Amino acid sequence: HSTFYWEGIDGSRCLVHFPPADTYGSDASVHDVHKSETNMKDKGRSSQSLLLYGYGDGGGGPTEDMLERLKRMRNVEGLPKLVFESPSKFFVGIEERGECNQLVTWVGELYFELHRGTYTSQAQVKQANRKCEVLLHDIEFLAAIAKFESCGLELSSDIYPKEELLRLWKLLLLDQFHDVLPGSSIREVYVDVMGHFKGEYCTSSREYLSRV
């Protein structure tokens, strides 16, 4: 489906749209505009689709050439009519046109078919990430207990190294980037990440645990 409702495990629903051009970085070509119509899987239920154009993976946005091409294709025979509007307005339009009652509901997992194996790929990274989450949690927990036992007395930075813990948490979040943790990145990335897990976290965390 292209436009549908997705129902979560709690029974709640949200309106979903998968752009029929199958890209979030279109160069605003005639091919992509045409595909936005021909690949629309819910014709008869919904009358519009989104085209996400610009250099979207890594930033950059649309270029002047892309915008000019789209302006020239606004009302060309053989192509869908083009309108510049925000995603919010697009979804509101679906509701205002009364198309919601015709949409199907997908219940269950939505799995990106091009990222097969992400639950098991780079298992050592997944394991190390979880260990570091637990380790940092334990340090925070024990530091809180130490503060409680001190009856509210001001703790030194040696007992609760706030700045260093903040740095380690941020580093861990960086290593949870959406192409790192699933195992869909390149080799060089995992060399760096495992260096963090085996070096930064192990050395710092053990030192702080001994202090606490």
Side-chain angles (χ1 to χ4, degrees):
H1 296 285
S2 297
T3 303
F4 59 97
Y5 279 102
W6 176 74
E7 183 175 312
I9 59 175
D10 63 348
S12 61
R13 300 193 309 168
C14 63
L15 187 56
V16 177
H17 179 71
F18 287 166
D22 287 337
T23 179
Y24 54 81
S26 170
D27 60 357
S29 64
V30 173
H31 173 270
D32 286 346
V33 171
H34 187 251
K35 188 176 181 180
S36 294
E37 180 181 36
T38 58
N39 197 42
M40 176 66 171
K41 298 180 176 65
D42 291 280
K43 292 178 181 177
R45 298 189 184 97
S46 186
S47 59
Q48 293 186 1
S49 65
L50 283 175
L51 175 66
L52 305 181
Y53 57 92
Y55 295 106
D57 194 356
T63 64
E64 291 184 10
D65 288 341
M66 294 177 190
L67 294 172
E68 183 61 29
R69 280 197 295 272
L70 290 172
K71 288 178 181 178
R72 295 187 181 191
M73 286 188 281
R74 275 183 171 177
N75 192 17
V76 174
E77 186 175 352
L79 293 176
K81 294 187 183 301
L82 303 183
V83 177
F84 290 96
E85 64 180 24
S86 67
S88 297
K89 191 173 181 180
F90 168 79
F91 284 107
V92 169
I94 294 174
E95 297 173 343
E96 291 179 342
R97 291 190 299 274
E99 296 174 351
C100 293
N101 296 332
Q102 305 177 60
L103 300 177
V104 300
T105 298
W106 181 275
V107 181
E109 186 75 23
L110 288 175
Y111 190 66
F112 185 33
E113 64 274 13
L114 298 181
H115 279 180
R116 297 291 183 186
T118 56
Y119 293 144
T120 54
S121 177
Q122 294 293 336
Q124 62 176 351
V125 171
K126 292 174 169 60
Q127 182 183 49
N129 169 79
R130 186 58 183 146
K131 285 183 177 180
C132 288
E133 285 181 329
V134 172
L135 195 56
L136 288 175
H137 165 272
D138 289 349
I139 294 175
E140 296 274 7
F141 174 77
L142 292 173
I145 295 297
K147 184 175 180 64
F148 177 79
E149 291 295 331
S150 69
C151 298
L153 297 177
E154 188 69 27
L155 293 179
S156 70
S157 59
D158 288 336
I159 299 177
Y160 190 87
K162 178 181 177 181
E163 295 302 322
E164 185 62 13
L165 281 176
L166 181 61
R167 185 185 72 82
L168 289 174
W169 275 116
K170 288 182 176 181
L171 184 60
L172 182 62
L173 290 173
L174 174 66
D175 291 338
Q176 292 177 349
F177 177 70
H178 75 263
D179 272 331
V180 175
L181 200 52
S184 53
S185 197
I186 59 177
R187 178 184 178 277
E188 288 80 0
V189 169
Y190 295 107
V191 172
D192 289 344
V193 170
M194 289 308 299
H196 296 160
F197 288 137
K198 293 179 180 179
E200 293 273 355
Y201 298 111
C202 290
T203 303
S204 299
S205 298
R206 286 171 183 167
E207 179 183 350
Y208 299 139
L209 276 176
S210 64
R211 292 181 192 175
V212 175

